[in-house]
Amino acid sequence: MPKHIDMMRLREEEVFSLLELISQNTQGFSNPKCITIGGYAIRAYIPFSRYTRDCDFVLKKTKKWQIDEINRMLLGRIKTEIFEKKEKYGFLKMISIIQSGKTKIKVSLDFMEGQVRGRTGKQIVLIDEKFIDNSTLTKIQIAGKEIDIYVPDYTDYLIMKVVSGRPSDVRDIAALIWKNDVPKTLDIRLKEILPFPDIFFKNINEIVVPAISDKRFVNSWRGTFITTEFTEESKIEVLKKLTDIEV
């Protein structure tokens, strides 16, 4: 059975290959404009990276569904697992399975058009014109190679992380706040892209701050990013900045 680190390496190599294919077919992720979110986008904002199973994208909602085009583009290469189109948003999940000996390694590409939606009715982030326009083309490393991808503006990216609120997001939030501080445009964007802005503050107070306050958090963070740079003092600094965010 391949070691965990070998599986992660193979997964990253497959992600890089798929991203190259998308880039070649979308004029460098610009037509249609595909903006990378999730665990890969964080590499644009902090000097550390973490392994992730999925590569996630958002797209602007248009009259002609852009996920239709993405699906056609990749269908000969990977398999469509979920394809949903609602009135205001669409979701496409495509899967690649890599064989390593007797082990199968799954790589997932998720495309969200119009909205990013979480597990509850209030976990909704709108992909508005400003979200698309403020994204930047950034060089990141995947599988030891560089590729230019679009990532969201820092404010939009942090909002998405807080609204999602999973354990991996909390560790990302701590890293983002530690290295980039609380964005000055936060209040404005909360009102513009969150139909339910209260979910942001609820998650900060009930999920993010309690998780970071836990005595095991520093070790958990270090295990994720494979560095000892984050300390108890870093944790206290992050908590102070988070608790200073006004409701």
Side-chain angles (χ1 to χ4, degrees):
M1 177 179 292
K3 296 179 181 178
H4 181 69
I5 191 69
D6 292 332
M7 292 173 64
M8 293 296 100
R9 179 181 55 78
L10 289 170
R11 183 178 282 117
E12 287 240 320
E13 288 174 355
E14 176 67 358
V15 167
F16 184 86
S17 175
L18 291 169
L19 289 180
E20 273 198 316
L21 177 62
I22 297 170
S23 178
Q24 291 164 4
N25 285 274
T26 59
Q27 299 172 23
F29 299 102
S30 63
N31 184 28
K33 192 168 187 180
C34 302
I35 301 170
T36 307
I37 59 172
Y40 283 103
I42 200 171
R43 301 180 186 192
Y45 290 107
I46 62 172
F48 320 111
S49 61
R50 64 171 175 83
Y51 286 114
T52 177
R53 293 177 179 274
D54 305 328
C55 188
D56 306 319
F57 298 89
V58 294
L59 303 96
K60 176 185 174 182
K61 174 71 176 68
T62 61
K63 289 183 179 179
K64 182 180 178 182
W65 287 94
Q66 299 196 86
I67 53 174
D68 280 338
E69 186 175 344
I70 298 293
N71 189 50
R72 285 193 297 269
M73 179 193 309
L74 295 174
L75 199 53
R77 174 70 165 76
I78 57 178
K79 177 185 176 184
T80 302
E81 185 170 87
I82 302 173
F83 198 3
E84 299 177 339
K85 291 188 286 188
K86 305 293 185 181
E87 182 182 354
K88 296 182 178 180
Y89 69 93
F91 176 66
L92 168 66
K93 176 184 283 291
M94 303 193 79
I95 299 295
S96 175
I97 304 295
I98 311 166
Q99 191 81 32
S100 178
K102 294 182 180 180
T103 302
K104 291 184 178 180
I105 303 169
K106 183 178 179 181
V107 173
S108 174
L109 298 183
D110 292 352
F111 298 87
M112 290 151 274
E113 184 167 338
Q115 298 178 4
V116 176
R117 301 178 70 92
R119 299 171 298 282
T120 71
K122 287 191 171 184
Q123 287 178 298
I124 301 172
V125 178
L126 306 179
I127 308 304
D128 64 359
E129 289 282 355
K130 194 181 290 187
F131 193 109
I132 301 298
D133 293 342
N134 288 352
S135 64
T136 55
L137 193 63
T138 306
K139 197 178 296 293
I140 68 165
Q141 279 209 353
I142 299 176
K145 294 168 278 191
E146 290 188 332
I147 189 167
D148 290 316
I149 62 170
Y150 282 99
V151 298
D153 175 75
Y154 173 59
T155 304
D156 292 345
Y157 186 56
L158 181 65
I159 290 171
M160 295 176 74
K161 284 287 176 184
V162 173
V163 170
S164 178
R166 298 168 301 179
S168 61
D169 294 310
V170 173
R171 292 188 288 270
D172 289 348
I173 291 163
L176 291 166
I177 295 292
W178 176 41
K179 290 297 184 182
N180 301 276
D181 216 328
V182 175
K184 291 180 172 58
T185 54
L186 182 61
D187 289 346
I188 297 170
R189 289 303 280 156
L190 286 174
K191 296 171 185 175
E192 291 175 339
I193 63 173
L194 296 187
F196 306 99
D198 59 300
I199 191 67
F200 180 90
F201 302 105
K202 182 176 187 293
N203 284 1
I204 288 283
N205 294 324
E206 297 182 10
I207 298 175
V208 179
V209 169
I212 296 175
S213 300
D214 191 285
K215 63 182 181 181
R216 298 164 294 183
F217 182 77
V218 170
N219 284 336
S220 172
W221 190 98
R222 289 175 171 181
T224 297
F225 290 101
I226 320 298
T227 176
T228 59
E229 281 195 42
F230 191 81
T231 64
E232 288 293 336
E233 289 73 23
S234 308
K235 168 180 155 176
I236 292 168
E237 178 188 342
V238 168
L239 285 170
K240 174 65 168 60
K241 290 176 178 179
L242 286 170
T243 52
D244 282 347
I245 295 175
E246 295 182 2
V247 177

